[in-house]
């Protein structure tokens, strides 16, 4: 029976450690992981200076003077927060925000949160929206190490992967009789396992892009003085409510 071979193949996948490896978000090539002290030392090696009293690092990042804080959960780093040190006017912050969006969109290490551009229009009244409506301006991207696929919608990409491997497995199994499927050979199980393993790993990669490797930035400030704060997050180390 087809169900039997699928169960056998999945059992082999789980026992072979298909879920053992994972990638985490990186900041300046440094994994957002490990202890806070280790992260501070690695950032100091990149040229940032550490102010122990303020518990912040200072230096230049992507052409701007910034401060950096290292946030932890359970003594593991889960987020790097980068904040502009120089305030900007409303027009200047719009330009800076849009420049960052364009930089991320043109970097093949990132996939945008949505198909439509996340840039701000010239007609957007940032000052009014923040002060009167407490609006948050944010751009969200997913970080990964492979070349960017042709798809710009990550949910569409997930669906494509699932359908692709389901079709491939169905076509492979269709060549066998019911009797053969009832008593599959080791080769049949191994080939089915490879197809399923590709599917599982692809879906896991897409899920990681969605929930575990997020890089985003937002506009802070008010009354004509604004700044950008960026966040590089490792969702594997984020608080998940298990301590409640």
């Amino acid at each position: 029976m087809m169900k039997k071979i699928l169960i056998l193949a999945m059992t082999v996948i789980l026992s072979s450690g298909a879920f053992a490896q994972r990638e985490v978000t990186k900041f300046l090539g440094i994994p957002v992981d490990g202890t806070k002290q280790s992260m501070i030392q690695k950032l100091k090696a990149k040229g940032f200076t550490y102010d122990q009293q303020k518990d912040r690092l200072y230096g230049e990042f992507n052409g701007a003077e910034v401060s950096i804080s290292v946030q932890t959960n359970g003594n593991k780093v889960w987020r790097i927060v980068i904040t502009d040190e120089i305030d900007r006017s409303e027009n200047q912050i719009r330009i800076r925000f849009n420049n960052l969006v364009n930089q991320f969109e043109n970097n093949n290490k990132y996939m945008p949160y949505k198909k439509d551009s996340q840039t701000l229009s010239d007609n957007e009244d940032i000052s009014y929206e923040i002060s009167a409506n407490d609006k948050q301006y944010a751009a969200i991207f997913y970080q990964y190490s492979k070349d960017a696929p042709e798809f710009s919608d990550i949910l569409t990409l997930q669906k494509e992967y699932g359908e692709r491997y389901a079709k491939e497995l169905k076509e492979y199994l269709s060549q066998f009789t019911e009797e053969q499927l009832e008593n599959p050979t080791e080769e049949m199980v191994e080939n089915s396992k490879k197809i399923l393993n590709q599917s599982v790993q692809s879906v896991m990669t897409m899920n990681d892009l969605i929930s575990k490797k997020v890089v985003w930035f937002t506009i802070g400030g008010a009354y004509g003085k604004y700044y950008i704060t960026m966040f590089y997050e490792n969702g594997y180390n984020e608080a998940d409510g298990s301590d409640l």
Side-chain angles (χ1 to χ4, degrees), residues 27 31-43 50 54-57 67-73 75-82 232:
F27 173 64
V32 181
D33 203 359
T35 65
K36 182 175 182 177
Q37 189 57 39
S38 174
M39 176 60 71
I40 290 173
Q41 292 303 317
K42 291 174 182 178
L43 290 173
Y50 179 59
K54 294 182 178 179
D55 192 23
R56 284 178 174 270
L57 296 110
S67 64
I68 298 176
S69 64
V70 179
Q71 297 185 356
T72 61
N73 174 53
N75 201 35
K76 290 183 178 180
V77 176
W78 86 272
R79 181 160 76 173
I80 302 297
V81 183
I82 308 101
Y232 284 69

Side-chain angles (χ1 to χ4, degrees), residues 13-172:
I13 291 174
L14 293 173
S15 63
S16 66
F19 300 97
Q21 295 184 344
R22 70 184 186 191
E23 289 187 353
V24 300
T25 311
K26 293 181 179 179
F27 173 64
L28 292 175
I30 306 170
V32 181
D33 203 359
T35 65
K36 182 175 182 177
Q37 189 57 39
S38 174
M39 176 60 71
I40 290 173
Q41 292 303 317
K42 291 174 182 178
L43 290 173
K44 288 172 66 176
K46 291 286 186 178
F48 294 93
T49 57
Y50 179 59
D51 186 322
Q52 188 170 5
Q53 185 174 5
K54 294 182 178 179
D55 192 23
R56 284 178 174 270
L57 296 110
Y58 294 88
E60 183 178 308
F61 174 63
N62 195 37
E65 291 298 318
V66 300
S67 64
I68 298 176
S69 64
V70 179
Q71 297 185 356
T72 61
N73 174 53
N75 201 35
K76 290 183 178 180
V77 176
W78 86 272
R79 181 160 76 173
I80 302 297
V81 183
I82 308 101
T83 305
D84 287 349
E85 280 291 286
I86 300 175
D87 291 333
R88 290 171 169 81
S89 67
E90 180 176 353
N91 190 49
Q92 289 172 333
I93 207 66
R94 178 187 290 105
I95 293 172
R96 173 152 168 71
F97 185 94
N98 288 343
N99 282 343
L100 281 172
V101 170
N102 291 329
Q103 287 175 346
F104 275 97
E105 287 180 345
N106 293 316
N107 189 325
N108 64 10
K109 293 188 298 184
Y110 294 90
M111 178 179 285
Y113 170 70
K114 55 184 180 180
K115 290 181 179 180
D116 298 334
S117 177
Q118 301 178 79
T119 54
L120 303 178
S121 72
D122 292 340
N123 298 324
E124 184 71 22
D125 193 337
I126 298 173
S127 178
Y128 173 79
E129 292 295 343
I130 290 179
S131 59
N133 299 322
D134 198 27
K135 183 174 181 178
Q136 182 179 35
Y137 292 98
I140 305 170
F141 297 85
Y142 307 111
Q143 184 188 81
Y144 62 125
S145 58
K146 301 174 183 177
D147 289 339
E150 295 179 358
F151 303 90
S152 59
D153 187 324
I154 196 166
L155 296 179
T156 299
L157 185 55
Q158 269 193 314
K159 185 173 181 290
E160 288 285 341
Y161 271 122
E163 291 177 350
R164 178 192 308 173
Y165 291 113
K167 180 180 179 182
E168 187 175 335
L169 182 59
K170 183 178 180 180
E171 290 177 349
Y172 172 71

Side-chain angles (χ1 to χ4, degrees), residues 225-239:
K225 293 183 178 181
Y226 302 96
Y227 55 88
I228 294 289
T229 299
M230 305 180 67
F231 305 86
Y232 284 69
E233 299 178 346
N234 173 3
Y236 292 107
N237 293 345
E238 184 179 6

